[in-house]
Amino acid sequence: AARFRFLEVDPGAILVEQGKRAPGLFILLAGGIEVLLDDKKISELTVGDVFGEMSLLTGGKAVASIRALSKGYLLELPRSDFQEVIMTHPQVLAYLGELAERRTPRVQAEEFVDLHLDMLV
């Protein structure tokens, strides 16, 4: 727990940017957060939700952007501490892996729909 940083964010703040590596793993404590794929809202996150895990687990770029809808409070585990935490707490790795697996089909479905709508235009 000591590795997490407390963050206060303003409405409109971009916490994770699509196409860039996530700066850390986030836990939403209070406020509203939206998930954007190619600047289109695909989901909202609620208190207790975790995000940033997909980029951290793959070491790649974030597949979606995460933006604050309102003033919010979060915990952030910086990317530099993430690897050590998952190596010493395998249950965290298992939980985040399952979460990423559940989220991947949703993102892929949104990309598929967008691709086919673009082909129709």
Side-chain angles (χ1 to χ4, degrees):
R3 295 176 187 267
F4 281 87
R5 297 186 300 191
F6 180 79
L7 299 178
E8 181 178 336
V9 297
D10 292 322
I14 302 293
L15 299 161
V16 176
E17 190 172 345
Q18 183 177 350
K20 295 186 177 179
R21 290 182 69 194
L25 178 72
F26 297 88
I27 302 171
L28 180 60
L29 300 176
I33 300 285
E34 64 182 347
V35 180
L36 305 166
L37 183 63
D38 298 325
D39 295 322
K40 287 195 264 184
K41 182 177 178 176
I42 62 167
S43 184
E44 282 190 29
L45 302 179
T46 60
V47 172
D49 280 341
V50 175
F51 60 93
E53 81 288 344
M54 293 174 78
S55 174
L56 292 172
L57 288 171
T58 65
K61 298 175 182 174
V63 297
S65 292
I66 309 292
R67 180 172 60 196
L69 290 169
S70 61
K71 184 171 204 70
Y73 301 96
L74 304 103
L75 293 176
E76 177 191 12
L77 177 65
R79 184 179 350 149
S80 58
D81 293 326
F82 179 77
Q83 285 296 329
E84 187 174 333
V85 168
I86 64 170
M87 296 301 284
T88 57
H89 297 86
Q91 67 276 21
V92 173
L93 176 59
Y95 171 76
L96 294 175
E98 290 172 14
L99 180 61
E101 284 180 27
R102 287 194 311 265
R103 287 181 172 169
T104 298
R106 171 78 190 260
V107 171
Q108 290 173 339
E110 291 291 337
E111 290 172 339
F112 178 80
V113 168
D114 287 346
L115 174 66
H116 284 80
L117 286 176
D118 289 344
M119 293 172 68
L120 293 173
V121 175

